[in-house]
Amino acid sequence: MDRVPALDEPLKKIVGGNTAKVMAAHLDLHTVGDLLHHYPRRYAERGELTRLADLPLDEHVTVVARVAKATKKTFNHGKGVRLEVVVTDGSGALTLVFFGRSVFHHEKALLPGRSGMFAGKVSVFNRTRQLSHPDYELLDQNHEADAAGAVDAFANQLLPLYPACKQLASWQLAKSVGMLLDTMEATGWEGVVDPLPPALREGRGFEALPEALLKIHRPRAKADIAAARDRLKWDEAFVLQVALARRRRAEAQLPAVPRARRQDGLLDAFDAKLPFTLTEGQQRVSAEILRDLAAEHPMHRLLQGEVGSGKTLVALRAMLTVVDAGGQAAMLAPTEVLAQQHHRSVVEMMGELAEGGMLGGSESGTKVVLLTGSMGAAARRQALLDLVTGEAGLVIGTHALIEDKVQFHDLGLVVVDEQHRFGVEQRDALRAKADRPPHLLVMTATPIPRTVAMTVFGDLETSVLDQLPAGRSPIASHVVPAKDKPHFLSRTWERVREEVESGHQAYVVCPRIGDEEDAPKERKGAKSGQRGAGSAADPATEYDVGGAEETTEGADGAGERRPPLAVLDVAEQLTKGALKGLRIEALHGRMHPDDKDALMRRFSAGEVDVLVATTVIEVGVNVPNATAMVIMDADRFGVSQLHQLRGRVGRGSAPGLCLLVTDMPEASPARARLGAVAATLDGFELSRIDLEQRREGDVLGQAQSGVRSSLRMLTVIDDEEIIAAARAEAVATVTADPELERLPALRTALDALLDAEREQYLDKG
């Protein structure tokens, strides 16, 4: 190719149609720029072979190892033949298995003493880890005539190992990248623009982008890799922060109706009713929000805080401020249970102030309406009428608020609770119901590490509530190893009974509902050797919550597991067994909303002793008399989710107790995760642990926006200093040159890394 390919040029022109199809389908690589920025995940050295001892099961891996021995065996009375090749790296051994006609070809190639790269999916057979029919490339196959030359050729070479897939091995990607780099070098890297402003690049001592790309893909020494990483991380952090800074600046230019606090209004009347004093944190955050509401451009603020830190109260004070200023406020909740809970608690907190226009209501009050999808036609019509006429100052609802029929008299504030449950389109649809951009308050009860907040929510100002209100009780948390120590599980149910006999209540949480609707989905795996879910009546798969359990183990103790425990099954077993005589009821998402609400009211009123539930009680549910929580199969929940669930107890004057029941072995990562949850009540610390364990993945990718991520090198948990510094540089750059007229290369990079679809995502905030 005699011309440099453009970064947006399709890969099929470079690597061929078939390879390009595989790259697109399995690695999400579509253009020349995508492949250039598909960086090696690590590097192998000939003298530093990859450790085989810690290979993860059921994952596609690439290893560098040496053939120790190769053995050909027959099976099926001599009709079949297989080749077993044992490779080693000094730390452990791995068996490669080949079947069929290809055995004879592999037998000639895989001679003892040969080294190679081997790629495949790790499985276990007869207690031995193996790769079945792996792809491989022998590292010294071109140097057989000169063994010393082979050592020289590879001894000091760093071999890039790329994120790969079953259809395209790491070395095949390396060849494609190498071919592309040769073309780029031959034509002077004409199409590659450097996003960093020259002054920034020179001030921080970064090398040119082409040099960084060469060093990351073809390092001559480890120092090359470090230098390239430093440069390329800055590219990603800076371009993203520039996009976010431009968003913040654009939002600041939009007009909004100021909603200043009114003296002697609804908010003052509400504050006078409160039987407690706001925490210092609540006062500080409220002041920040009220200052934003009084401005002439829309507030865009993220309110995050610990479980039970009083976020709802802070949000309600903001909503009342807007009502005082003549507007309306809407709170969007992810579930009907949570919407009903919010509505109930808001009405209780406001008292007669929530009965504006009603007999006995306060003259300074307003109307608080609930809008959900399951409401009856008459109630729904009345709620819609109250909104369009302005009779209702506050509305709390689910996705039903977004429907076209819903119209507001003057929507001034949108509060989104549990933001991670909503797509940006849903939030945007509610905001669009205002004549002018309304103020936006986004709440999350899942604490977010500072770097993630700066990266994912960088166009929002952030407020943090890190104090718990006075009177909140401590929560003791313990891991219950039900399989290793069955008597611990028996003691768990004794503790629940003790709490109930002391006048308190308890939750039991399960991962699954467990009615007959689950069975067809579970049985699909039966033909491939998986066990079906069964029902409570199926003794082969029933789990005895009193301690006995049946699990099909793999050789390493982490093999096939029984299905997750189910609410309906556990409720029935507890009713007949360990908690017999207590008032036990089941709550799950498949119940009719009215039935769910009625059950939650009975539980709140103390008419139910033990509530066996799915995670529908994860957020917002507030029953101060509930002091104990047992989480079954706790290892099947995420760290943040466990912290959220635990926050449902200890909400009154009595101490809380959270018991994390698991059947996972002590040495497993799952047990370590549960141990971390039990060891601390600090949600911010747990969010960091959670992020370190699962990594952030596509921070701006499919989990957030539905499009591929621009972050390939940057890791938000490790690169806090880079992100913070890049944010400061980005703010200065955008302030000095809002349209980037003097930085055309940066504009080009923004267009490439933040395409129209992702820019639209940022635009929706």
Side-chain angles (χ1 to χ4, degrees):
M1 183 177 288
D2 57 1
R3 61 175 184 83
V4 65
L7 293 182
D8 59 357
E9 187 165 311
L11 276 174
K12 64 182 178 182
K13 295 185 178 180
I14 308 297
V15 300
N18 291 335
T19 301
K21 284 181 182 178
V22 173
M23 288 183 175
H26 298 282
L27 296 171
D28 202 16
L29 302 175
H30 304 273
T31 66
V32 165
D34 290 343
L35 186 56
L36 270 181
H37 293 289
H38 188 69
Y39 305 130
R41 58 184 172 84
R42 59 187 179 86
Y43 302 83
E45 296 176 90
R46 186 173 177 81
E48 185 183 88
L49 299 180
T50 309
R51 283 179 57 83
L52 298 181
D54 305 318
L55 285 180
L57 274 178
D58 295 325
E59 288 191 20
H60 287 281
V61 300
T62 299
V63 300
V64 179
R66 183 178 294 108
V67 177
K69 66 176 181 178
T71 308
K72 192 164 59 177
K73 298 180 178 180
T74 59
F75 60 93
N76 196 17
H77 305 294
K79 295 178 182 178
V81 62
R82 73 173 181 269
L83 179 67
E84 294 182 359
V85 180
V86 178
V87 297
T88 181
D89 65 351
S91 74
L94 179 68
T95 300
L96 316 177
V97 183
F98 302 90
F99 298 92
R101 296 178 182 176
S102 65
V103 161
F104 304 99
H105 164 74
H106 298 306
E107 184 182 20
K108 290 180 180 179
L110 297 173
L111 300 174
R114 302 292 297 276
S115 293
M117 289 196 289
F118 306 91
K121 188 175 183 180
V122 182
S123 60
V124 171
F125 181 73
N126 283 343
R127 299 180 179 269
T128 301
R129 296 185 182 224
Q130 68 174 30
L131 301 182
S132 181
H133 277 277
D135 292 319
Y136 64 88
E137 181 171 283
L138 296 176
L139 297 179
D140 52 357
Q141 62 185 359
N142 298 320
H143 304 272
E144 291 182 62
D146 183 3
V151 172
D152 290 339
F154 291 99
N156 298 314
Q157 193 177 77
L158 290 161
L159 305 171
L161 299 179
Y162 289 88
C165 60
K166 182 178 180 181
Q167 295 79 5
L168 201 64
S170 173
W171 57 85
Q172 293 170 298
L173 279 160
K175 286 180 179 177
S176 295
V177 172
M179 186 166 53
L180 178 56
L181 291 175
D182 290 342
T183 302
M184 303 299 283
E185 279 195 285
T187 49
W189 297 84
E190 292 173 17
V192 176
V193 295
D194 198 322
L196 298 188
L200 191 159
R201 190 172 67 243
E202 293 163 10
R204 294 188 174 269
F206 291 136
E207 55 203 13
L209 181 56
E211 188 176 349
L213 289 170
L214 278 173
K215 284 184 175 180
I216 202 70
H217 290 295
R218 290 176 173 171
R220 293 182 295 276
K222 290 182 178 179
D224 286 351
I225 301 171
R229 283 183 183 276
D230 288 345
R231 162 65 215 251
L232 295 170
K233 284 182 178 183
W234 252 91
D235 283 12
E236 293 176 1
F238 181 71
V239 170
L240 178 56
Q241 291 299 334
V242 166
L244 293 168
R246 293 183 77 196
R247 263 308 338 126
R248 289 193 299 274
R249 188 179 185 282
E251 294 287 359
Q253 310 302 314
L254 291 175
V257 178
R259 310 286 182 174
R261 179 172 185 172
R262 178 164 62 88
Q263 296 301 317
D264 299 323
L266 182 56
L267 178 57
D268 284 352
F270 174 74
D271 284 347
K273 281 177 57 66
L274 288 176
F276 51 81
T277 303
L278 297 179
T279 66
E280 184 181 325
Q282 287 173 319
Q283 293 177 29
R284 171 178 46 79
V285 170
S286 285
E288 293 171 352
I289 292 172
L290 297 192
R291 186 170 60 248
D292 285 355
L293 290 174
E296 295 183 350
H297 58 82
M299 172 178 72
H300 282 78
R301 187 167 287 276
L302 171 69
L303 173 58
Q304 61 164 321
E306 273 293 6
V307 177
S309 58
K311 292 180 298 296
T312 305
L313 177 59
V314 170
L316 177 56
R317 295 186 77 248
M319 295 169 80
L320 295 178
T321 301
V322 170
V323 174
D324 269 343
Q328 294 169 289
M331 178 182 284
L332 183 62
T335 66
E336 295 209 359
V337 167
L338 186 53
Q340 290 162 341
Q341 177 79 31
H342 276 320
H343 180 259
R344 192 156 52 242
S345 62
V346 164
V347 169
E348 287 172 0
M349 282 193 286
M350 290 180 63
E352 73 278 2
L353 297 175
E355 300 171 354
M358 300 168 65
L359 189 63
S362 169
E363 288 184 11
S364 61
T366 188
K367 199 168 185 179
V368 182
V369 301
L370 176 69
L371 187 64
T372 66
S374 65
M375 291 174 65
R380 183 180 180 81
R381 269 196 307 273
Q382 185 60 53
L384 293 174
L385 182 62
D386 290 339
L387 288 179
V388 75
T389 61
E391 184 77 17
L394 303 182
V395 59
I396 298 166
T398 57
H399 300 75
L401 283 173
I402 300 170
E403 295 175 5
D404 292 339
K405 292 180 180 179
V406 180
Q407 295 182 5
F408 290 85
H409 178 68
D410 180 14
L411 180 59
L413 171 65
V414 172
V415 178
V416 180
D417 193 22
E418 289 306 303
Q419 57 76 29
H420 61 279
R421 305 284 192 91
F422 293 98
V424 289
E425 291 79 8
Q426 293 165 315
R427 300 202 290 266
D428 198 49
L430 183 53
R431 291 170 62 192
K433 291 183 178 294
D435 294 332
R436 281 201 274 180
H439 299 282
L440 175 68
L441 180 63
V442 173
M443 297 199 300
T444 174
T446 303
I448 303 169
R450 176 170 171 261
T451 44
V452 179
M454 281 195 299
T455 306
V456 182
F457 303 106
D459 56 340
L460 299 176
E461 299 298 329
T462 302
S463 295
V464 177
L465 278 174
D466 51 11
Q467 287 178 294
L468 293 182
R472 289 301 298 266
S473 301
I475 305 172
S477 303
H478 303 284
V479 178
V480 178
K483 183 174 182 182
D484 299 344
K485 300 178 180 179
H487 60 286
F488 276 33
L489 185 57
S490 300
R491 177 61 184 147
T492 294
W493 304 125
E494 289 175 9
R495 284 292 292 113
V496 170
R497 188 177 286 278
E498 288 167 6
E499 289 296 310
V500 172
E501 289 173 350
S502 299
H504 300 301
Q505 295 160 276
Y507 299 99
V508 177
V509 180
C510 303
R512 192 168 63 94
I513 296 173
D515 60 16
E516 65 282 353
E517 293 181 40
D518 285 334
K521 289 185 287 185
E522 298 288 350
R523 290 197 194 101
K524 286 180 181 178
K527 291 182 180 179
S528 60
Q530 297 175 2
R531 296 171 58 189
S535 65
D538 179 2
T541 58
E542 186 172 355
Y543 177 82
D544 180 0
V545 297
E549 129 186 42
E550 186 180 332
T551 305
T552 304
E553 291 289 347
D556 63 345
E560 220 171 296
R561 296 186 66 189
R562 57 163 172 72
L565 294 179
V567 165
L568 299 180
D569 298 346
V570 169
E572 181 181 353
Q573 292 170 36
L574 291 176
T575 301
K576 295 177 179 177
L579 299 181
K580 186 176 181 179
L582 301 187
R583 296 171 297 175
I584 300 171
E585 296 213 35
L587 176 73
H588 55 80
R590 208 170 282 143
M591 294 168 62
H592 189 278
D594 289 346
D595 294 336
K596 285 188 287 189
D597 189 44
L599 176 52
M600 281 307 304
R601 287 179 184 274
R602 292 203 308 278
F603 187 63
S604 298
E607 297 169 11
V608 175
D609 297 322
V610 179
L611 190 67
V612 184
T614 57
T615 54
V616 294
I617 56 110
E618 180 183 347
V619 291
V621 174
N622 183 30
V623 181
N625 193 49
T627 56
M629 172 171 286
V630 180
I631 304 179
M632 308 302 294
D633 280 345
D635 53 274
R636 297 182 190 257
F637 299 94
V639 169
S640 295
Q641 195 171 34
L642 290 170
H643 184 57
Q644 287 298 310
L645 289 165
R646 174 171 59 184
R648 298 312 103 205
V649 297
R651 303 179 77 87
S653 57
L657 175 66
C658 181
L659 301 173
L660 307 170
V661 180
T662 179
D663 59 10
M664 296 302 285
E666 188 171 2
S668 66
R671 278 284 288 276
R673 190 169 70 244
L674 295 181
V677 173
T680 181
L681 294 173
D682 185 339
F684 287 92
E685 173 62 21
L686 287 174
S687 69
R688 178 169 285 276
I689 292 170
D690 191 19
L691 198 59
E692 285 174 348
Q693 289 186 343
R694 61 182 173 83
R695 312 307 292 178
E696 69 282 351
D698 285 347
V699 172
L700 276 181
Q702 293 183 349
Q704 285 293 334
S705 64
V707 294
R708 78 179 265 111
S709 172
S710 63
L711 304 186
R712 315 290 180 80
M713 184 68 70
L714 196 71
T715 54
V716 296
I717 195 66
D718 299 325
D719 298 321
E720 181 170 345
E721 290 183 9
I722 293 175
I723 292 169
R727 182 183 175 101
E729 292 277 10
V731 169
T733 298
V734 172
T735 301
D737 185 5
E739 299 304 319
L740 307 179
E741 293 175 351
R742 298 188 295 276
L743 298 169
L746 178 55
R747 286 188 64 98
T748 302
L750 274 175
D751 292 340
L753 288 176
L754 295 168
D755 56 28
E757 193 174 358
R758 195 177 303 106
E759 189 74 59
Q760 185 181 28
Y761 158 69
L762 290 173
D763 197 43
K764 291 177 179 178

